[in-house]
Amino acid sequence: MIKLYENGIYLKNGSDIVEEARSEGFDQEAARQGTIAYRILREHNTAETMEKLRIRFDKLTSHDITFVGIIQTARASGLTEFPIPYVLTNCHNSLCAVGGTINEDDHRFGLSCAKRYGGIYVPPHQAVIHQYAREMLAECGKMILGSDSHTRYGALGTMAIGEGGPELVKQLLKRTYDIDMPGVIAVYLKGEPGPGIGPQDVALAIIGAVFKNGYVKNKVMEFVGPGVSKLSADFRIGIDVMTTETTCLSSIWQTDERIEEFYEIHGRKEAYKELRPAETAYYDGCIEVDLSEIRPMIAMPFHPSNTYTIDELNENLTDILKDVEEKARVSFDGQVEYSLMDKVVDGRLLVEQGIIAGCAGGGFENICAAADILNGKSIGSDEFTLSVYPASMPIYMELIKNGCVAKLMETGAVLKTAFCGPCFGAGDTPANQAFSIRHSTRNFPNREGSKLQNGQIASVALMDARSIAATAANKGFLTPADKALEKAELNSYRYFFDANIYKNRIFDAWNNKELKDPTEEIRLGPNIKDWPEMIALPENILLRVVSEIHDPVTTTDELIPSGETSSFRSNPLGLAEFALSRKDPAYVGRAKEIKRLEEARIQKQELSKVGVSGGPDDGTSDAVKDSEAPADGKTILKVLELIKEKYPEVSLENTGFGSTIFAVKPGDGSAREQAASCQRVLGGLANIANEYATKRYRSNLINWGMLPFITGEDHNSLPFKKLDYIFVPGIRRAVEEKSSEIKGFVIRTEDTEKSEEISLKLGDLTDDERQIILDGCLINYYRGR
């Protein structure tokens, strides 16, 4: 089904693979320039070489969880206008069901900014961010930067990258996106998908093959080969959006007449051009996918890489369910009881909910196929439910016109508007202990909306819309679509795009300059707050380890929960109260303790009198108040006295206090900068990790002035543990001098008379990144210039 090549390959004439070991006589450096990715990056690079890229993007896009923070940061850094097209969509908090007026206040803020700075504003329920970008922004050979991790438009010939908000701020301020030239991995498609096989099946098969071994981490996936021409534009889009779950940097596909037709349908034929590899192109690796061998897939809880064929799951049901339960016990650390065995009824898996939604599932062809499979059937009147969210109003309109909406509604399914909620835990939350199957992007814990801290847990498995429909037709008993199609037939539907829907509703001051008004007052709701002041990196730092996470991978949803918490996204301090709340509920209180001491240090208060007040409004959790080792002034002065024995020059004037967390591999998942900024506003100065799951999370740490430390110590035998202190002398000088290794000292909480040396690394940093850390955050960096 899928083959991974151990070494690089050459692709000849777009179709023939030549393994590196058999490539005598090939010019590798010349062939590297033959990839589609290389050519696009070269055209957007402003640096003198291709080794260290400085990229200027063509367009930007954000949604209503991210654009407020981005624009507030850019305004504080000197923003006067949007220099390139910037689209503000409202597809994440569009229900306005939590937090009073704050969601709609943010929408109004976005519209006022589009008017003032010359942007494009997409109101709630019109389109999810990525579908709008496909329909209205993508162009062959162009590059788009988005503040959402699933910013992927490679199937349409557009290299797109999802990053944290500060990277968009840089583009708004006419700066660049700075990265090393990424490796490029060929995804060589051959064969043709069989009946009932959808894009999610192909995507999950690829994710399962490459995630755990990091085969494409921070690289570009380039889709080539004869199998590409066998796939419709919608099918390619459905695979492409899921490449984010491989941890790749970006994606790009060869283009052909099917993509040309896509642009023509959307009234933008001029956006098309043919993209193909050169006659000889070199790739750093190759994923060979035989589409004809792909079977209906399922990604079991709680990660898109936990993949099986549905047949394999059904044949080994007990063993696989018990394996998921065991992994969950480790991940949840006994916080909740979790069981899947009760889902087995008469030897079959019975699920309670189906969802087809968002940028992955809500495409036209996916929903049409689901309607055909369910045509004339019923989803039943018992517990099983089915909700379908078309990805945009133009898609919804066409589904109404071609009768697919009627087919689905007749079965008992519910059709809803364009909304990303089911993908991040803000819509269709199932019952406690329920099992949901979804054609969406992720199935991390809490992505379905449950809350461990309240004793609630539900499960999500990812599947293709076709198999979800087949399961719905069987009243919730798990069924692969290829089996269902033995009794059903899929029709061929032609898509017609109605541009009037957007013309009548989208505010576009980029293409209609007369709508731009530089005097427009920015509309600030009561919840929209400015960022608190961040200080520059001190000469020395004393960190307290306030949380340890030993899971193999930590997602950004575990660092800052999605769902209803995102309603506070425009209030940095309000949102920070939720940081790590579903992973380590005592984290916020512990971080505040050390932050309180740092504030007292800056204000030159007498530290010996600063302790854990225990007052009703200090925000310190009961877990911290009852701690045996609170971070109080007397303790930290005692720690400083020990440090002075080796470093007599250390003082309260040159040593800053802050918190840090340890995680094995943090940062998988969302691009939301809040995973880092919430730690920062709580006094965080660093993360310590064995490695970072994604570039975007590490970039978020840097842009918020946090040190992305790496340790080579095995996570089971660290020289420090939670509540210990780590002193890092001369950290400012080490950053300035680009030190490859940084020495620190661990002071044990239970014995503050002793210290143990520790070695930390920062990894590669650009000169700008170093200066951002030195200045304290990106806002300070730009404010100082």
Side-chain angles (χ1 to χ4, degrees):
M1 185 161 65
I2 292 181
K3 173 185 175 181
L4 303 183
Y5 286 73
E6 291 186 10
N7 299 302
I9 63 109
Y10 292 86
L11 188 67
K12 292 285 291 180
N13 303 316
S15 59
D16 301 326
I17 294 175
V18 179
E19 295 189 55
E20 193 167 2
R22 301 185 179 91
S23 60
E24 188 175 347
F26 284 75
D27 184 340
Q28 186 176 114
E29 287 310 306
R32 281 186 182 277
Q33 300 181 31
T35 65
I36 304 169
Y38 186 95
R39 296 201 299 271
I40 294 176
L41 289 169
R42 181 177 59 199
E43 290 168 6
H44 291 80
N45 181 29
T46 64
E48 293 180 359
T49 73
M50 287 293 288
E51 294 176 357
K52 301 284 185 180
L53 303 177
R54 300 177 71 87
I55 300 296
R56 288 260 173 85
F57 287 85
D58 298 294
K59 299 172 185 178
L60 305 175
T61 184
S62 294
H63 52 62
D64 51 347
I65 284 182
T66 56
F67 67 61
V68 177
I70 290 168
I71 295 173
Q72 286 289 73
T73 302
R75 291 178 69 211
S77 304
L79 178 72
T80 57
E81 65 176 357
F82 295 156
I84 55 177
Y86 185 22
V87 175
L88 311 176
T89 66
N90 293 272
C91 52
H92 277 59
N93 283 312
S94 45
L95 289 184
C96 305
V98 177
T101 69
I102 59 181
N103 289 333
E104 194 59 32
D105 288 345
D106 284 357
H107 300 161
R108 187 167 67 169
F109 170 91
L111 178 59
S112 68
C113 290
K115 292 178 179 178
R116 182 184 181 104
Y117 299 121
I120 301 169
Y121 175 84
V122 182
H125 305 290
Q126 292 300 303
V128 301
I129 177 174
H130 303 307
Q131 187 60 28
Y132 185 84
R134 295 162 189 157
E135 294 169 351
M136 305 302 292
L137 299 182
E139 294 181 68
C140 290
K142 300 296 186 181
M143 293 190 71
I144 294 177
L145 182 66
S147 56
D148 183 274
S149 58
H150 290 98
T151 306
R152 291 285 188 269
Y153 317 126
L156 300 174
T158 304
M159 274 192 72
I161 297 176
E163 276 284 0
E167 292 299 331
L168 276 79
V169 173
K170 293 176 185 177
Q171 296 290 311
L172 289 173
L173 299 176
K174 301 181 182 179
R175 302 299 180 102
T176 56
Y177 178 72
D178 302 341
I179 55 170
D180 292 342
M181 178 66 192
V184 183
I185 303 293
V187 185
Y188 184 87
L189 304 182
K190 64 181 183 180
E192 185 172 1
I197 304 302
Q200 188 81 324
D201 297 316
V202 179
L204 293 178
I206 294 172
I207 294 164
V210 305
F211 175 81
K212 292 182 177 67
N213 59 18
Y215 192 79
V216 298
K217 182 179 175 180
N218 294 334
K219 297 180 174 66
V220 177
M221 298 174 72
E222 184 161 310
F223 288 76
V224 294
V228 173
S229 65
K230 304 294 184 182
L231 305 178
S232 68
D234 250 21
F235 203 113
R236 299 179 205 185
I237 287 168
I239 298 171
D240 186 61
V241 70
M242 292 297 292
T243 59
T244 296
E245 305 312 317
T246 68
T247 69
C248 74
L249 178 74
S250 186
S251 64
I252 193 67
W253 293 55
Q254 65 187 46
T255 61
D256 55 23
E257 64 277 0
R258 295 204 179 193
I259 303 305
E260 183 176 21
E261 181 187 34
F262 176 93
Y263 283 116
E264 186 172 6
I265 288 170
H266 290 84
R268 299 193 299 119
K269 189 172 182 178
E270 72 285 351
Y272 174 78
K273 70 177 180 181
E274 185 180 62
L275 300 176
R276 290 190 175 275
E279 183 178 338
T280 303
Y282 177 80
Y283 296 90
D284 297 284
C286 179
I287 306 164
E288 186 175 316
V289 182
D290 188 340
L291 296 167
S292 63
E293 293 183 0
I294 300 291
R295 302 269 70 82
M297 300 290 295
I298 183 168
M300 292 294 284
F302 285 96
H303 199 276
S305 65
N306 192 16
T307 55
Y308 304 88
T309 66
I310 295 177
D311 286 339
E312 182 182 5
L313 173 62
N314 285 333
E315 291 164 8
N316 302 277
L317 194 55
T318 299
D319 289 343
I320 293 174
L321 293 184
K322 286 184 176 178
D323 180 66
V324 174
E325 288 178 348
E326 187 57 36
K327 289 176 180 175
R329 287 189 190 96
V330 174
S331 179
F332 300 153
D333 197 25
Q335 293 181 67
V336 294
E337 289 295 323
Y338 177 73
S339 174
L340 290 178
M341 293 305 298
D342 63 325
K343 308 302 175 195
V344 182
V345 178
D346 297 329
R348 302 170 68 192
L349 184 65
L350 181 64
V351 303
E352 288 95 343
Q353 184 190 65
I355 304 286
I356 301 170
C359 57
F364 177 73
E365 289 181 4
N366 291 329
I367 297 174
C368 288
D372 282 346
I373 290 170
L374 276 164
N375 189 26
K377 300 178 176 63
S378 165
I379 69 169
S381 58
D382 209 326
E383 194 166 348
F384 182 83
T385 62
L386 177 63
S387 296
V388 180
Y389 294 74
S392 70
M393 272 299 177
I395 290 176
Y396 205 151
M397 175 70 82
E398 191 55 34
L399 292 168
I400 292 172
K401 290 179 178 178
N402 71 14
C404 285
V405 165
K407 288 181 185 178
L408 286 166
M409 293 180 69
E410 188 178 29
T411 71
V414 178
L415 272 288
K416 301 184 179 181
T417 55
F419 177 47
C420 297
C423 293
F424 71 98
D428 275 305
T429 304
N432 182 48
Q433 297 290 341
F435 193 96
S436 177
I437 52 174
R438 302 188 175 195
H439 192 157
S440 60
T441 54
R442 292 192 173 122
N443 60 338
F444 301 158
N446 312 118
R447 274 261 161 180
E448 76 300 313
S450 62
K451 300 179 184 178
L452 263 66
Q453 70 271 31
N454 291 353
Q456 305 164 2
I457 184 64
S459 304
V460 168
L462 301 182
M463 287 168 47
D464 189 83
R466 293 148 189 81
S467 291
I468 293 174
T471 300
N474 279 335
K475 312 294 191 292
F477 284 102
L478 190 68
T479 307
D482 56 353
K483 299 284 173 50
L485 285 178
E486 294 170 1
K487 301 177 182 179
E489 184 178 344
L490 297 185
N491 297 308
S492 178
Y493 296 90
R494 188 176 177 190
Y495 181 64
F496 296 91
F497 176 75
D498 188 346
N500 287 321
I501 294 174
Y502 290 155
K503 287 179 181 177
N504 291 333
R505 194 69 189 97
I506 306 302
F507 179 87
D508 185 352
W510 177 265
N511 293 300
N512 301 285
K513 301 298 184 185
E514 67 276 7
L515 296 177
K516 180 183 174 183
D517 180 5
T519 66
E520 174 74 20
E521 180 184 355
I522 301 299
R523 308 291 291 274
L524 298 170
N527 187 61
I528 300 176
K529 306 294 185 183
D530 290 331
W531 291 104
E533 193 71 24
M534 314 285 182
I535 68 165
L537 182 67
E539 184 178 331
N540 315 297
I541 56 173
L542 180 60
L543 302 171
R544 196 175 206 209
V545 182
V546 293
S547 187
E548 279 185 86
I549 305 173
H550 291 270
D551 291 352
V553 179
T554 303
T555 69
T556 47
D557 287 86
E558 292 169 306
L559 296 169
I560 181 64
S562 53
E564 85 287 355
T565 61
S566 61
S567 292
F568 296 92
R569 66 207 170 274
S570 307
N571 183 337
L573 291 172
L575 183 62
E577 292 292 330
F578 297 96
L580 270 76
S581 60
R582 296 179 184 176
K583 197 68 182 172
D584 185 355
Y587 163 78
V588 171
R590 294 193 192 106
K592 283 183 174 180
E593 282 187 342
I594 196 75
K595 182 186 179 187
R596 187 181 297 113
L597 293 171
E598 171 65 358
E599 290 171 342
R601 182 192 74 85
I602 293 172
Q603 295 165 12
K604 301 186 184 304
Q605 296 178 11
E606 189 175 336
L607 282 183
S608 62
K609 296 182 179 180
V610 179
V612 181
S613 70
D617 299 320
D618 73 340
T620 307
S621 71
D622 290 338
V624 174
K625 291 172 185 175
D626 296 337
S627 167
E628 295 178 358
D632 57 32
K634 292 180 181 179
T635 301
I636 210 158
L637 287 173
K638 188 176 180 181
V639 170
L640 282 174
E641 285 305 312
L642 174 65
I643 292 168
K644 284 184 178 182
E645 292 178 8
K646 290 186 178 180
Y647 295 91
E649 71 278 12
V650 165
S651 67
L652 290 173
E653 287 71 33
N654 62 22
T655 303
F657 307 149
S659 57
T660 187
I661 67 169
F662 170 80
V664 177
K665 189 178 179 180
D668 185 29
S670 172
R672 286 174 298 138
E673 66 186 270
Q674 293 97 327
S677 66
C678 285
Q679 295 178 54
R680 183 66 168 122
V681 300
L682 289 170
L685 289 179
N687 275 194
I688 304 175
N690 290 142
E691 65 173 303
Y692 292 95
T694 59
K695 177 207 169 294
R696 54 184 174 269
Y697 177 67
R698 183 174 181 270
S699 294
N700 285 337
L701 292 175
I702 294 165
N703 285 324
W704 282 106
M706 297 179 70
L707 295 152
F709 282 136
I710 299 169
T711 177
E713 302 282 353
D714 181 86
H715 74 99
N716 291 314
S717 55
L718 294 169
F720 59 84
K721 60 183 180 180
K722 187 163 59 182
L723 302 185
D724 285 347
Y725 294 90
I726 300 175
F727 175 64
V728 187
I731 182 61
R732 185 173 184 89
R733 185 173 65 254
V735 173
E736 290 172 336
E737 296 177 355
K738 304 181 181 181
S739 301
S740 59
E741 197 157 331
I742 298 167
K743 184 168 61 174
F745 295 91
V746 177
I747 297 95
R748 295 280 188 185
T749 300
E750 68 269 17
D751 187 359
T752 55
E753 300 298 325
K754 296 180 181 179
S755 65
E756 181 178 345
E757 189 170 310
I758 183 175
S759 177
L760 300 167
K761 296 182 179 180
L762 282 173
D764 292 335
L765 293 168
T766 67
D767 289 343
D768 284 348
E769 287 175 333
R770 290 180 185 280
Q771 193 60 52
I772 290 167
I773 291 172
L774 292 169
D775 289 347
C777 67
L778 188 70
I779 296 174
N780 294 354
Y781 173 79
Y782 284 126
R783 186 180 289 151
R785 284 153 182 77

